[in-house]
Amino acid sequence: GPSVPESLREQLAVGGTLVIPVGVERVQRLLRVRGPTAERYAEEDLGAVLFVPLIGAEGWEDPRGRTPTRAARRRETRDPPSRVEPPASGFEHDASELSAQAPGSAAFRRRPSGAAEVVAGAAEPFDDLRSADLDPLLERIGAARVILLGEASHGTAEFYEMRARITQALIERKRVRIVAVEADWPDAAQIDRYVRGASAAPHPERAFARFPSWMWANRQVLDFIRALRERNAGLPVTEQVGFHGLDLYSMYTSIRAVLAYLDDVDEDAAAVARARYGCLEPWEGDPAAYGAAALRGRFESCTERVVEMLEDLLARQLEYERRDGNRFFDAARNAALVRNAESYYRAVYYGPHRSWNLRDRHMFDTLEALLRHHGEGARAVVWAHNSHLGNAAATSMSARGEINVGELCRDAYGDACYAIGFGTDHGTVAAADDWEAPMRIMDVRPALESSYERLCHDSGVGNFLLPVGERAADAEVRGALMPERLERAIGVVYRPRTERASHYFHAALPRQFDEWIWFDETRAVDALPVETDSDEMPETYPFGL
């Protein structure tokens, strides 16, 4: 409820206890109220939570207009409480919303709400993403140093294609020189060498060959990086655009990259590195098992050794950089990845929020390292999921104690960060039924009623750009979108049978993003056959190695 109801306080006997979530903001606080002692109540704050609204005389108005009970009416007459508008949190779902719905059904023919009409009036529509007018968007982005381009799934073609088009415009008109993506550093390093015109990969592993390969090994990314290679051709290094990975799942590939570098520049240091990293060698087939063993005390933690390896490498930075500064930077990022990945696999067993936070902080730190490496004034575009790039503080993620790249960027760069989210209502998506399961093309179910996606669908505008942030959005748009709604997030795994529980969270869109890009109907990405050579791809292309 909005506060602890007085009627419930009155019921507490001496020594009695009341536990209740309280707060008019998106994230409530769980309060423990102990019974009166000398007519005083002791309150203890147990932390952030997210519960369904309390409806009634001492809570919020019933959004469905139900008549209060007789007892509630008596209380209102005796002591009318002040009313607080309910958060539009999407808790009003009933079971019928979870049934399969199809475009054209009765649910889809409902009259648009006032908020949907506001969206329709403010949207910047386009028929085809190739013909979309990006000039207003680029003007809103302005001089932002970090531009975050999200996606509502890892397998939707339109998200990749629009990100590519926006990125190409930022490269040509805003002098962006860094493309950083939610991918492993050594895999993206092979793509970086390709787009810069190099013909040999420094790592023997095939780029993006592990699950989920289609996330980056797809036709849409192939077209984008071929365009980058063509653009970079003949340009000095300082004018070329790089392609870099921010993620930390490649612990063992990164170990081999560090060893290969040290074998070239310092054989004695390479021997020390092999001894230190050897601690992790038994767990290469299942790094998560290392975390479990270290947690239970069945295996000595490798933390100290991987930290020492990174510290030793950084201590010799000046010496190593004289030979090849870019190669040293690559080795240092790989060593940092090993350190953080080791911590990540241990943190998994302490709760999902700890591992999530460690992963997103690593991605943010890698982004910052790239900006420093490229010098003052460097600008970057980031490609990652909405859940990583939209401000976590504006979503129910914060109730779980989670931060993300978007929140860290907003805190670090303020108005020099511009975050763009993407959404869709229905279509197809490339995804798996479970982790490590085969990819297949699945139907995306139409959005649930109390979601931003349903609101955008009900606007009747098929595709559009919409400024929603404080800097550029119309006050009426922000007012219409500010009440919380559900938002959908499909990763590499899609479970439509449990979609409400598996793929929706609560958010306040105007606080989460600066811009929202909508495609009402979308199609799956075109996955590339990374396990076999392809005649379509040049021999030097990393997917085909």
Side-chain angles (χ1 to χ4, degrees):
S3 60
V4 179
E6 223 24 71
S7 59
L8 293 182
R9 286 182 186 269
E10 292 170 1
Q11 294 179 40
L12 283 177
V14 174
T17 302
L18 163 68
V19 179
I20 181 172
V22 166
V24 297
E25 297 292 334
R26 174 184 51 78
V27 178
Q28 302 125 36
R29 311 298 299 181
L30 190 65
L31 300 184
R32 177 161 56 197
V33 183
R34 300 190 184 278
T37 302
E39 299 185 354
R40 296 184 62 186
Y41 295 91
E43 288 191 5
E44 181 182 1
D45 188 336
L46 302 180
V49 292
L50 195 64
F51 276 83
V52 297
L54 173 69
I55 303 299
E58 294 177 81
W60 284 283
E61 293 277 10
D62 189 333
R64 286 165 286 194
R66 293 176 180 170
T67 305
T69 64
R70 188 178 308 167
R73 287 199 300 271
R74 282 202 301 270
R75 286 196 299 272
E76 280 190 278
T77 303
R78 182 187 67 213
D79 184 18
S82 59
R83 289 296 185 184
V84 182
E85 288 297 316
S89 60
F91 286 119
E92 307 87 76
H93 289 299
D94 56 36
S96 64
E97 287 190 14
L98 301 182
S99 62
Q101 300 174 6
S105 66
F108 275 75
R109 292 193 296 270
R110 294 178 183 176
R111 182 177 178 178
S113 67
E117 293 173 350
V118 171
V119 168
E124 298 172 2
F126 57 90
D127 294 327
D128 180 86
L129 65 84
R130 293 176 182 82
S131 63
D133 182 7
L134 298 184
D135 288 347
L137 171 62
L138 295 175
E139 185 175 348
R140 290 189 288 270
I141 290 173
R145 190 177 185 198
V146 176
I147 301 97
L148 309 179
L149 299 180
E151 61 184 5
S153 88
H154 286 317
T156 299
E158 284 81 359
F159 299 157
Y160 285 82
E161 290 167 353
M162 180 58 92
R163 290 192 302 194
R165 182 156 182 247
I166 293 171
T167 301
Q168 287 166 339
L170 290 168
I171 289 168
E172 298 306 325
R173 297 168 58 178
K174 301 286 187 178
R175 297 187 58 81
V176 165
R177 295 294 179 262
I178 301 168
V179 178
V181 303
E182 184 189 341
D184 293 332
W185 178 270
D187 284 0
Q190 295 193 56
I191 306 298
D192 184 60
R193 289 179 62 81
Y194 175 77
V195 301
R196 293 179 186 276
S199 60
H203 312 303
E205 291 84 358
R206 200 161 39 222
F208 308 127
R210 68 164 179 82
F211 180 92
S213 61
W214 69 90
M215 182 174 165
W216 296 111
N218 60 63
R219 176 68 55 186
Q220 286 69 35
V221 172
L222 173 59
D223 290 344
F224 173 69
I225 65 174
R226 279 177 169 168
L228 277 190
R229 181 180 170 97
E230 183 178 343
R231 184 222 171 260
N232 283 342
L235 292 176
V237 172
T238 54
E239 291 297 314
Q240 292 180 349
V241 177
F243 188 94
H244 307 281
L246 301 178
D247 224 332
L248 51 52
Y249 289 124
S250 60
M251 181 161 67
Y252 291 93
T253 308
S254 291
I255 286 174
R256 287 188 283 274
V258 174
L259 295 177
Y261 171 75
L262 291 175
D263 281 339
D264 285 346
V265 301
D266 192 333
E267 291 183 357
D268 291 339
V272 173
R274 280 187 169 81
R276 286 172 171 165
Y277 287 148
C279 175
L280 291 165
E281 185 177 356
W283 311 98
E284 181 167 1
D286 186 4
Y290 158 73
L295 175 66
R296 296 168 185 163
R298 297 177 181 175
F299 185 80
E300 182 183 0
S301 167
C302 301
T303 304
E304 185 175 340
R305 300 179 196 185
V306 297
V307 170
E308 287 175 347
M309 192 61 245
L310 176 61
E311 289 175 345
D312 282 0
L313 193 64
L314 294 177
R316 301 185 181 185
Q317 179 172 354
L318 291 178
E319 174 189 348
Y320 291 159
E321 277 189 333
R322 291 193 192 100
R323 307 183 190 192
D324 188 334
N326 287 326
R327 282 200 69 198
F328 170 79
F329 179 71
D330 178 71
R333 293 321 307 164
N334 276 302
L337 189 154
V338 175
R339 178 198 61 187
N340 291 337
E342 187 274 339
S343 298
Y344 172 85
Y345 287 114
R346 285 187 293 104
V348 165
Y349 296 93
Y350 287 96
H353 74 283
R354 289 188 61 175
S355 56
W356 174 278
N357 290 351
L358 196 154
R359 181 184 171 210
D360 270 56
R361 187 165 289 281
H362 169 83
M363 289 197 284
F364 173 74
D365 290 346
T366 304
L367 174 62
E368 292 232 283
L370 283 166
L371 289 167
R372 288 194 301 270
H373 181 68
H374 284 79
E376 186 177 355
R379 308 179 72 188
V381 168
V382 181
W383 291 17
H385 198 279
N386 285 349
S387 57
H388 290 295
L389 300 188
N391 189 347
T395 75
S396 54
M397 294 169 63
S398 65
R400 301 192 296 267
E402 294 174 350
I403 59 173
N404 67 359
V405 174
E407 182 178 358
L408 294 169
C409 284
R410 183 66 68 199
D411 291 344
Y413 298 102
D415 288 346
C417 168
Y418 199 87
I420 302 173
F422 288 71
T424 186
D425 179 72
H426 62 277
T428 59
V429 67
D433 294 306
D434 211 341
W435 192 259
E436 298 287 1
M439 185 214 83
R440 63 190 186 90
I441 305 302
M442 304 184 189
D443 290 329
V444 177
R445 293 174 55 176
L448 295 182
E449 183 175 349
S450 299
S451 66
Y452 282 109
E453 288 82 0
R454 174 59 69 85
L455 186 154
C456 291
H457 173 78
D458 286 347
S459 74
V461 184
N463 308 316
F464 60 79
L465 288 79
L466 180 69
V468 297
E470 187 174 3
R471 285 173 284 174
D474 182 271
E476 185 181 16
V477 173
R478 284 180 58 79
L481 298 181
M482 191 63 79
E484 277 197 356
R485 290 177 172 84
L486 292 172
E487 186 180 312
R488 180 158 56 191
I490 300 173
V492 295
V493 172
Y494 184 38
R495 298 188 175 109
R497 293 177 65 87
T498 59
E499 189 175 58
R500 170 63 179 85
S502 300
H503 298 291
Y504 280 90
F505 60 98
H506 291 88
L509 197 70
R511 295 175 53 222
Q512 185 186 10
F513 294 107
D514 297 296
E515 189 99 10
W516 183 249
I517 299 181
W518 176 254
F519 295 92
D520 199 61
E521 183 174 5
T522 49
R523 71 188 194 284
V525 294
D526 303 307
L528 294 173
V530 296
E531 296 302 326
T532 59
D533 292 337
S534 170
D535 292 338
E536 293 186 65
M537 292 178 282
E539 184 178 324
T540 54
Y541 186 73
F543 296 163
L545 290 178

